[in-house]
Amino acid sequence: MPNILDATDLNFLLYDLLDIEATLTATGHDRAIADAILTTAERLAEDMFQPFAAKADAQEPSFDGTHVHLIPETEAALTAYAQAGFPAAGFAEADGGMGLPYLLCQAAAGWFTAANVGFAAYPFLALAAGNLLAEYGTEAQKAAYLTPIIEGRYFGTMCLSEPQAGSSLADIRTRAEPQDDGSYRLFGNKMWISGGAHEMGENIIHLVLAKVPGGPAGTKGISLFIVPKFLEDGTLNDVHLAGLNHKMGYRGTTNCALNFGEQGGAVGYLIGEENRGLSVMFHMMNEARIGVGQGASVLGVSGYLHAVEYARERTQGRAVDNRDPASPMVPIIEHADVRRQLMQARSYAEGSLALCLYAASLVDRLRAGEDGVELLLAILTPVVKSWPSEFALRANDIAIQIHGGYGYTRDYPVERLYRDNRLNPIHEGTKGVQGMDLLGRKVVQDGGAPLRALAQEIMVTLGTADAFPQERDQLGALLQRVGAVTAGMAAQAASDPKAYLANATIYLDMLGHVVMAWMWLRQAIAAQGHSDPGFAQGKTATMRYFFRYELPATGPQLDLLESMDRTCLDADTDWF
Amino acid sequence: MPNILDATDLNFLLYDLLDIEATLTATGHDRAIADAILTTAERLAEDMFQPFAAKADAQEPSFDGTHVHLIPETEAALTAYAQAGFPAAGFAEADGGMGLPYLLCQAAAGWFTAANVGFAAYPFLALAAGNLLAEYGTEAQKAAYLTPIIEGRYFGTMCLSEPQAGSSLADIRTRAEPQDDGSYRLFGNKMWISGGAHEMGENIIHLVLAKVPGGPAGTKGISLFIVPKFLEDGTLNDVHLAGLNHKMGYRGTTNCALNFGEQGGAVGYLIGEENRGLSVMFHMMNEARIGVGQGASVLGVSGYLHAVEYARERTQGRAVDNRDPASPMVPIIEHADVRRQLMQARSYAEGSLALCLYAASLVDRLRAGEDGVELLLAILTPVVKSWPSEFALRANDIAIQIHGGYGYTRDYPVERLYRDNRLNPIHEGTKGVQGMDLLGRKVVQDGGAPLRALAQEIMVTLGTADAFPQERDQLGALLQRVGAVTAGMAAQAASDPKAYLANATIYLDMLGHVVMAWMWLRQAIAAQGHSDPGFAQGKTATMRYFFRYELPATGPQLDLLESMDRTCLDADTDWF
C-alpha cells in the first residue's frame, strides 16, 4: 500500500495534457489551491479511506430490521472529508460552493474512489443529487436541500430503477399523487439504490423518478421528486428499507430496495415540471456516466500500481537465455511477458483515466460556453462510461494475474479492486445500453455532427504528431475508415434499424479503441517535454504498445460492422 | 438452478463428436454403463453438491489452531460420491478400478465441478495423486496408498510450490534426507496446497517435491515423495498446517501453507528414482492441466446456462422498432445484443468443453497406443489449460453482465462461478508459463512435429467440411498463415531467443483461437444429423459466430508475431 494513484501522472494529465491552469485562471483560482486540494485528497485517502477498504469489504453493511450498521470508520472518514470542505468544492460560489473546475473535483475524487470506493460512494451520490438541485431546484429547494449537501450534512441518492424495470425506465410504476398543498405522495418500490439507507449525516435526500397519474405512457410521463428521509419537522418520511443487497464487491456502500408509501404515501416535492423528469435526470446522468468511467479508471490504476510494485519485488525464475539454476532469481518485471501484461494494464487504466479527465475538462469547457463541446460530450459519453468499465476492469484482472496465487487471496487488495470495479459495466446504463445510445442516438444526431466533431479534434492532434509519423498515419487511416463504415451503416439505419443496431456494442468497442489511441497519442506528445525523461519514454512506449497490440483489433471489428453481420440478430431464441 | 451442465450437449460431445462408443467397446464397456455413470453424476451433483455451493462459499473453511472446520455437507457429499464408486471409475481393473475411459471420467467429473468446485476438488486431487501412484508407485506403495484412494477412503494433494518458488520449481528448498531404512525425512515449507488440511477420510497422501542433499542444482535435482498425514502406525506425521489461505473464490476447498519437518522431519517415501521427480510430476501435470481447462469450461458452461435461463425469463424493454410504451416488455433474449452476448459466452464455454473433452479422448487414444497422439497432446496441452481458463472465465463474466444488477449480487450464482473460475488462469502453470511451454518447448520440439500433427488433424476436418465452404476456406487459409509465421519466428529462435519468446502469450492466444475454430467447425459438422434440428442450427450459428466475431482477431495477432515486435521486450523496467 498505498498505490492509490500516481500523483506524478495525475499532475501530468491535469497540467500538461489538459491545461487545467487555464481553467483555474479563468475561474479565478490558481495552481496553489489546486495543489492544496489534491494533496489534501491524497492524504485523507491514505489516512482515512484506504486503511479500511478491506475491512469494509469483509464486514459489509447489515440491517437488523431497525438499524443499518456500517463499520464506524465509514462515518469518521466522511466526516473528515466534509470537514476538509470537499462537498463544497465543485458548487457555484452563489450556492455556497467554491466554484472549482469540474476537472479538479474529478481528479480529487479519484483519490477517494481508488482508496475505498465503498466509502467514497456516499458523498459522491450526495454531490450528484446536489448538482441536480443546483441546476433545477427552486431557491427554496436549494436552501432546504442543496445547502446542507454542500455543507456535508446531508447525503443523497438517485432512485430510478425498480425491480421490474432496470434499464427500462419507461416501465417504472412508482406513482406520485398530487396533493392540495402542491406536494405529492409517492407509492412504489425502488431497487439498486446505492446509499439508500444508513444513519450518517442529518438526512438523505432521495431524488425519485415517478409517474403522475393521468400523464403520458412511457418515458414522457416521468417526473422527478425530492423525497427526504426526514421531513422538515424531523419526522421520518414514509420511505422504508425493504432490504440490503449483498454484492460481489463495492460492499462498503449500502445498496437497497426501498419501499415508498407503505404507510399512506411518501411526501415528495416536484423538481422542474411534471413529465419532464427524465430529461432533468439525464442531465445528471451524463455527468454520472463520466463519473462511472472515472471510478472504473482509478480502480484500474490502483490495481496497476500494486502490480508494478509486486513485479519489482517478487523474484521468480531467470532470463530465458540463462540456464544456470544457481544464479539468483530475478524480479518478475524482468520477464518480457510480465512487462507486456503491465503495459496492457497501464494502457487500459492510465489511458482510461486520461480519457475521463479529458471528458471532465469538456464539462468545464461546456460550462464556459465553448462552441462544439456539447457535440463532443454527446459522442464521447457512452465511450467514457463503457470503455474504462470494461478495460480498466481488465487492468484489475491483469493485476491479479501478475500477483499469481497471492493475487487470488484476500491478503492482497487486487482481487477486491476487481470485485469493486465489476459493478461499473452494469450501473448507470449497461454496456449494451451505451452501445444503443452511441449508435442509435449519438451517431445519427444532427446529421452526424457529433462524430464529425470528434474526428476534427483527432485531426487536430494528428497535425501535431510529427514526432510519431507511423502512429499518426495509422490513426489517420483508421479514422477515415471509421467515417466510411459509419456512413455505410447509417445509410441503412432507417430502412433496417434492427440490422443497423445489431452490432452496436461492437461499434462501441471499436470507437472506444480509436478514442483511446488518440488519448495515448496526445499523452505521448504532451509528455515529450517532461522533466523526467523516463516518464516520457514510459508514456511513449505505452502509446506504441497500444497502437501495436490493441488498436489493430479495430480492423476485424470494422470488417464485421461493414458487413452488417446478422448472425446474432437472426439467431432463434430457441437455439440457445 | 440446476443449470449445472446440458446433458444433451454432453451426450452430443461424447457420442457424436468424440465417438466414445468405440472407446467403450474397445475397453470392454458399453453405453449402458456410461449412461448410468453420467446419470448418477448428474443426480448426485444436483442433490449433494450444488445446493451447498453458496454455503461453502459464504462459510469458508476455518482453522482454530487445532482443527480445520468445513461445512458438514462437504463430507456428506464426498461420502455419497465415494459410495457411488466414482473414485474407482478411471483406475485400471488390475489396481481395483473399473477401467473406464478417461473421457467418460472427465465428463462425469464435469457435473461435480460445475455444481460445486469447492467440494469436488478434494476427490479430484486424490485421483490425481492416485494416477501418479498407479503409474510410478511400487506394488507395496500401491497397496498402502493407491487402494484406499480407489476405495474413496484416502485423500491426496500435490505439494509443489513454496512461498519463494511458485512457478519456478528449480528454486524449491524443501530437502529430503535419506535414512538407513530407505525412507526419507523432509524439511521445508509448501504453499498453495489445495486440500492440504481437513479431517475427512482416513488419511491424506501428500505427494511432495523435494531435493535430496548433494543432488544437482535446479530442476534436475528434484525428487518426489509420498508423505502421508498419518503414518502406518496411526500416528501423525510431522506435517503441520501453517495457515489457510483466504481466497477470492473456490472457497469450499482448503488451500494451505504446510510446514514439513518442524519436529524432527516428516517421514517420506521416494517415488521412482532420486532426481527424477519432475518428470514423474509432469506426467501427472499434463493431465492436471487438461483438468484445469475442463474445470474452467464447465464453470463457464454453468454460467452460460444460468444466463440463458435468466434471459428467457427476465422482461425488459421492447424491440428497437416498437415505439409503443404501452406494449408489453419482452424477454431480454429478444434483444440482439443479448443474443450476441449469449453467443459469445456459448462459443467460449461450450467450445472450451468440446476442446477439453477432445483432449481427454486423446488421453484414451494415447493409452490405447495410437501413433501420433502424443504429439497432438504436446501441442494442445498448453492451449487446453489456458484458453478455457481465459475464455470460459469470460463466459462467466458475460453471465454476470446479462443478469444486470442481479448478477452482481450473491443471490444469484453467477458472480460466485466467476470467482471460482478466476483461479484457473493461475494454478497449474499461469498463462504466461503456458505460453512459454507452447512456443519455447512444444513448437520447436522434434523439428516442429507437434504443430504439423495438429495441422494435419485440422486438414482432415477441412476435408469433411463441404457443408461450410466459407469457414473451411477461412480456416484453411489461416492455418497456412500460422505455419508460415511460425516458421519465420522459429528461424530466429536460436539467434534471438528473447525476441522469439517475447510474445509467447500472444502466440498462445492466436493458436487457441485457431484450435477453437476447428472445434466449432467439427461440432457443426457432427451436429448436422442431430435428431433435434434446433440443436444443429444452434451449433451452426455459434460456429458462424465464432468464425465471424472472434477468429478474425488472429489476423492482427499474426501480424504482430510476424513483426517480432519488441515493444514490451525493450521496455525499461524503470518506465513503469
Side-chain angles (χ1 to χ4, degrees):
Chain A
M1 306 272 175
N3 289 323
I4 301 172
L5 291 177
D6 176 349
T8 304
D9 188 49
L10 199 56
N11 278 328
F12 163 76
L13 295 175
L14 294 178
Y15 289 94
D16 300 331
L17 185 73
L18 300 172
D19 192 17
I20 196 174
E21 200 129 25
T23 314
L24 287 166
T25 306
T27 53
H29 302 285
D30 59 15
R31 180 155 184 164
I33 178 78
D35 286 348
I37 282 179
L38 291 171
T39 311
T40 307
E42 179 177 1
R43 184 180 47 75
L44 263 185
E46 273 187 34
D47 293 348
M48 307 285 288
F49 283 70
Q50 193 192 40
F52 312 108
K55 183 176 176 184
D57 179 67
Q59 299 175 29
E60 66 183 338
S62 62
F63 178 46
D64 63 14
T66 311
H67 295 287
V68 171
H69 303 277
L70 310 181
I71 61 168
E73 293 86 350
T74 318
E75 188 158 20
L78 300 189
T79 301
Y81 170 92
Q83 284 171 349
F86 282 102
F91 289 98
E93 289 169 87
D95 287 327
M98 296 167 69
L100 287 163
Y102 184 69
L103 173 56
L104 178 64
C105 297
Q106 287 288 95
W111 285 105
F112 299 108
T113 301
N116 185 337
V117 71
F119 284 9
Y122 295 104
F124 295 169
L125 287 158
L127 297 188
N131 283 332
L132 197 150
L133 290 165
E135 186 83 17
Y136 295 98
T138 63
E139 286 309 311
Q141 287 172 339
K142 284 162 73 170
Y145 307 112
L146 174 59
T147 301
I149 284 175
I150 290 176
E151 292 168 359
R153 297 185 289 115
Y154 280 18
F155 287 92
T157 75
M158 299 288 163
C159 302
L160 287 73
S161 298
E162 300 183 4
Q164 83 292 349
S167 298
S168 181
L169 291 174
D171 297 290
I172 62 166
R173 292 183 197 143
T174 298
R175 69 180 200 280
E177 298 188 348
Q179 307 295 306
D180 292 342
D181 65 357
S183 71
Y184 292 76
R185 293 295 175 279
L186 276 77
F187 303 86
N189 309 305
K190 292 288 178 179
M191 184 64 169
W192 309 125
I193 311 308
S194 284
H198 58 76
E199 290 159 27
M200 299 184 294
E202 299 170 21
N203 208 344
I204 303 175
I205 306 307
H206 303 292
L207 298 186
V208 185
L209 291 183
K211 293 189 168 184
V212 178
T219 55
K220 290 177 182 152
I222 295 177
S223 306
L224 180 65
F225 299 89
I226 299 167
V227 182
K229 176 181 174 183
F230 291 104
L231 298 171
E232 270 170 78
D233 62 6
T235 58
L236 274 168
N237 202 349
D238 186 7
V239 182
H240 300 275
L241 176 58
L244 296 178
N245 293 310
H246 300 287
K247 294 167 290 174
M248 181 187 197
Y250 232 102
R251 293 192 190 176
T253 307
T254 53
N255 185 277
C256 316
L258 293 181
N259 294 343
F260 292 80
E262 282 182 337
Q263 298 168 5
V267 176
Y269 308 102
L270 183 69
I271 304 182
E273 297 170 39
E274 274 188 9
N275 302 327
R276 300 296 301 272
L278 205 64
S279 70
V280 171
M281 187 57 96
F282 262 83
H283 176 93
M284 180 284 304
M285 184 61 83
N286 283 326
E287 288 181 18
R289 286 177 174 175
I290 297 173
V292 169
Q294 151 102 3
S297 303
V298 297
L299 290 169
V301 167
S302 181
Y304 163 72
L305 295 173
H306 283 293
V308 171
E309 181 181 29
Y310 185 84
R312 287 196 206 290
E313 292 178 354
R314 171 73 172 173
T315 60
Q316 197 83 174
R318 288 160 191 83
V320 294
D321 53 0
N322 174 3
R323 302 270 174 193
D324 176 11
S327 61
M329 291 195 284
V330 298
I332 61 172
I333 198 170
E334 299 283 344
H335 301 311
D337 190 59
V338 171
R339 289 200 298 282
R340 183 193 60 76
Q341 291 180 71
L342 289 173
M343 282 275 191
Q344 187 180 16
R346 179 181 183 177
S347 76
Y348 293 163
E350 219 174 88
S352 288
L353 182 57
L355 172 64
C356 293
L357 291 179
Y358 169 69
S361 79
L362 291 180
V363 172
D364 285 322
R365 288 163 58 183
L366 183 69
R367 290 177 182 173
E370 189 178 322
D371 276 351
V373 173
E374 198 157 6
L375 292 172
L376 275 177
L377 271 171
I379 193 89
L380 282 174
T381 299
V383 173
V384 169
K385 195 277 169 182
S386 58
W387 204 92
S389 297
E390 174 148 350
F391 289 94
L393 175 65
R394 282 207 203 164
N396 292 113
D397 180 76
I398 293 166
I400 295 173
Q401 191 66 19
I402 288 175
H403 282 71
Y406 294 99
Y408 194 65
T409 70
R410 307 200 302 277
D411 298 329
Y412 285 76
V414 287
E415 68 85 31
R416 175 174 47 74
L417 291 169
Y418 181 90
R419 288 187 289 103
D420 288 344
N421 210 353
R422 185 61 187 83
L423 178 60
N424 286 315
I426 298 173
H427 68 163
E428 311 295 353
T430 61
K431 190 172 180 200
V433 167
Q434 302 301 325
M436 299 291 278
D437 180 44
L438 177 64
L439 202 58
R441 282 194 206 96
K442 304 315 181 40
V443 164
V444 292
Q445 176 187 327
D446 303 329
L451 191 60
R452 279 198 304 277
L454 174 63
Q456 210 159 19
E457 287 287 301
I458 296 177
M459 294 297 289
V460 169
T461 302
L462 296 183
T464 67
D466 290 349
F468 307 107
Q470 200 178 330
E471 288 80 8
R472 178 195 62 200
D473 296 348
Q474 186 183 348
L475 184 55
L478 180 56
L479 196 59
Q480 282 214 316
R481 188 163 183 224
V482 171
V485 170
T486 306
M489 292 172 69
Q492 299 178 62
S495 62
D496 195 349
K498 286 188 172 180
Y500 171 66
L501 290 170
N503 294 301
T505 302
I506 308 290
Y507 190 92
L508 177 65
D509 276 340
M510 179 281 297
L511 192 66
H513 267 60
V514 172
V515 168
M516 193 49 55
W518 171 46
M519 276 296 134
W520 272 108
L521 189 57
R522 283 188 59 168
Q523 288 186 81
I525 293 167
Q528 291 313 299
H530 199 277
S531 57
D532 174 3
F535 183 89
Q537 289 170 302
K539 285 285 185 191
T540 304
T542 313
M543 179 276 285
R544 292 225 158 95
Y545 166 85
F546 195 83
F547 274 77
R548 293 172 186 180
Y549 284 70
E550 303 290 333
L551 189 58
T554 54
Q557 288 171 333
L558 284 160
D559 295 343
L560 185 84
L561 291 164
E562 195 166 33
S563 75
M564 302 280 282
D565 190 274
R566 303 178 63 98
T567 309
C568 303
L569 180 63
D570 292 344
D572 197 299
T573 59
D574 291 339
W575 294 350
F576 293 93
Chain B
M1 307 269 176
N3 288 323
I4 302 172
L5 291 177
D6 175 349
T8 304
D9 188 49
L10 199 56
N11 277 326
F12 163 75
L13 295 175
L14 294 177
Y15 290 95
D16 300 332
L17 185 73
L18 300 172
D19 193 16
I20 196 174
E21 199 130 24
T23 315
L24 287 166
T25 307
T27 53
H29 302 285
D30 59 16
R31 179 157 184 163
I33 179 77
D35 287 348
I37 281 178
L38 291 170
T39 311
T40 306
E42 178 177 2
R43 185 180 47 73
L44 262 184
E46 274 187 31
D47 294 348
M48 306 285 287
F49 283 69
Q50 192 192 40
F52 311 109
K55 183 176 177 183
D57 180 67
Q59 300 176 29
E60 66 183 337
S62 62
F63 178 46
D64 62 16
T66 311
H67 295 287
V68 171
H69 303 277
L70 310 180
I71 61 168
E73 292 86 350
T74 318
E75 186 157 20
L78 301 189
T79 301
Y81 170 92
Q83 283 171 349
F86 283 101
F91 289 98
E93 289 169 89
D95 288 325
M98 295 167 71
L100 287 164
Y102 183 70
L103 172 57
L104 178 64
C105 296
Q106 286 290 92
W111 285 104
F112 299 108
T113 301
N116 185 337
V117 70
F119 284 10
Y122 296 103
F124 295 169
L125 287 158
L127 297 188
N131 283 332
L132 198 151
L133 290 165
E135 187 82 18
Y136 295 100
T138 62
E139 286 309 313
Q141 287 172 339
K142 285 162 72 170
Y145 307 111
L146 174 59
T147 301
I149 285 175
I150 292 176
E151 291 169 0
R153 296 186 289 113
Y154 279 18
F155 288 92
T157 76
M158 299 288 164
C159 301
L160 287 73
S161 297
E162 300 182 5
Q164 82 292 350
S167 297
S168 181
L169 292 174
D171 297 290
I172 62 167
R173 292 184 197 144
T174 298
R175 69 181 200 279
E177 298 188 346
Q179 307 294 307
D180 292 343
D181 65 357
S183 72
Y184 293 75
R185 292 293 175 277
L186 276 76
F187 303 86
N189 309 306
K190 291 290 178 179
M191 186 62 171
W192 309 125
I193 311 308
S194 284
H198 58 76
E199 290 159 25
M200 299 184 294
E202 298 170 22
N203 208 345
I204 302 175
I205 306 308
H206 304 291
L207 298 185
V208 184
L209 290 183
K211 292 189 168 185
V212 178
T219 54
K220 289 176 182 154
I222 295 176
S223 306
L224 181 64
F225 299 89
I226 298 168
V227 182
K229 175 181 175 182
F230 291 104
L231 297 171
E232 270 171 80
D233 62 6
T235 59
L236 274 169
N237 201 349
D238 186 5
V239 182
H240 301 275
L241 177 58
L244 296 177
N245 293 310
H246 299 286
K247 293 166 292 173
M248 180 185 197
Y250 232 104
R251 294 192 189 174
T253 307
T254 53
N255 185 276
C256 316
L258 292 181
N259 294 343
F260 292 80
E262 282 182 337
Q263 298 169 3
V267 176
Y269 308 102
L270 183 70
I271 305 182
E273 295 171 40
E274 273 188 11
N275 303 327
R276 299 297 300 273
L278 205 64
S279 70
V280 170
M281 188 57 95
F282 264 83
H283 175 93
M284 181 283 305
M285 184 62 83
N286 283 326
E287 287 181 19
R289 287 178 173 174
I290 297 173
V292 168
Q294 151 101 3
S297 303
V298 296
L299 289 169
V301 166
S302 181
Y304 163 72
L305 295 173
H306 282 293
V308 171
E309 182 181 30
Y310 185 83
R312 286 194 207 291
E313 291 178 353
R314 171 73 172 173
T315 60
Q316 197 83 170
R318 289 162 190 83
V320 294
D321 54 0
N322 174 3
R323 303 271 173 190
D324 177 10
S327 61
M329 292 196 285
V330 299
I332 61 172
I333 198 169
E334 299 284 343
H335 301 311
D337 190 60
V338 171
R339 288 201 297 284
R340 184 193 59 76
Q341 292 179 70
L342 289 173
M343 280 276 191
Q344 187 180 16
R346 180 181 183 177
S347 77
Y348 293 164
E350 217 173 271
S352 288
L353 182 57
L355 172 63
C356 293
L357 292 179
Y358 169 69
S361 79
L362 290 180
V363 172
D364 284 322
R365 287 162 58 184
L366 183 70
R367 289 177 182 173
E370 189 179 321
D371 276 350
V373 173
E374 198 157 6
L375 292 172
L376 275 177
L377 271 171
I379 193 89
L380 283 174
T381 299
V383 173
V384 169
K385 195 278 169 182
S386 58
W387 203 93
S389 297
E390 173 148 352
F391 289 94
L393 176 65
R394 282 207 202 166
N396 291 113
D397 180 76
I398 294 165
I400 294 173
Q401 191 67 19
I402 288 174
H403 282 72
Y406 295 99
Y408 194 64
T409 70
R410 308 202 299 279
D411 297 329
Y412 285 76
V414 286
E415 67 86 32
R416 174 173 47 73
L417 290 169
Y418 181 89
R419 289 187 288 104
D420 288 344
N421 210 353
R422 185 60 188 84
L423 178 61
N424 286 316
I426 298 172
H427 67 163
E428 311 295 355
T430 62
K431 192 173 179 198
V433 167
Q434 303 301 323
M436 299 290 278
D437 180 45
L438 176 63
L439 202 58
R441 284 197 204 94
K442 306 308 180 45
V443 164
V444 291
Q445 175 188 327
D446 304 329
L451 191 59
R452 279 199 304 277
L454 175 62
Q456 210 158 22
E457 286 289 299
I458 297 176
M459 294 297 289
V460 169
T461 302
L462 296 182
T464 66
D466 290 347
F468 307 107
Q470 200 178 329
E471 288 81 9
R472 178 195 62 202
D473 296 348
Q474 185 183 348
L475 184 55
L478 179 57
L479 196 60
Q480 280 213 317
R481 187 160 184 226
V482 171
V485 170
T486 306
M489 292 172 69
Q492 300 177 62
S495 61
D496 194 351
K498 285 187 171 180
Y500 171 66
L501 289 170
N503 294 302
T505 302
I506 309 291
Y507 190 93
L508 177 64
D509 276 340
M510 178 281 298
L511 192 65
H513 268 59
V514 172
V515 167
M516 193 49 55
W518 170 47
M519 275 296 133
W520 272 109
L521 188 58
R522 283 189 60 169
Q523 286 185 83
I525 294 167
Q528 291 312 300
H530 199 275
S531 58
D532 173 3
F535 183 89
Q537 288 170 301
K539 285 284 185 191
T540 303
T542 313
M543 179 276 284
R544 293 224 157 96
Y545 166 86
F546 195 83
F547 274 78
R548 293 173 186 178
Y549 285 70
E550 304 289 334
L551 189 57
T554 54
Q557 289 171 331
L558 283 160
D559 296 342
L560 185 84
L561 291 164
E562 196 167 31
S563 74
M564 302 281 280
D565 189 275
R566 301 178 66 99
T567 309
C568 304
L569 180 62
D570 292 344
D572 197 298
T573 58
D574 291 339
W575 295 349
F576 293 94

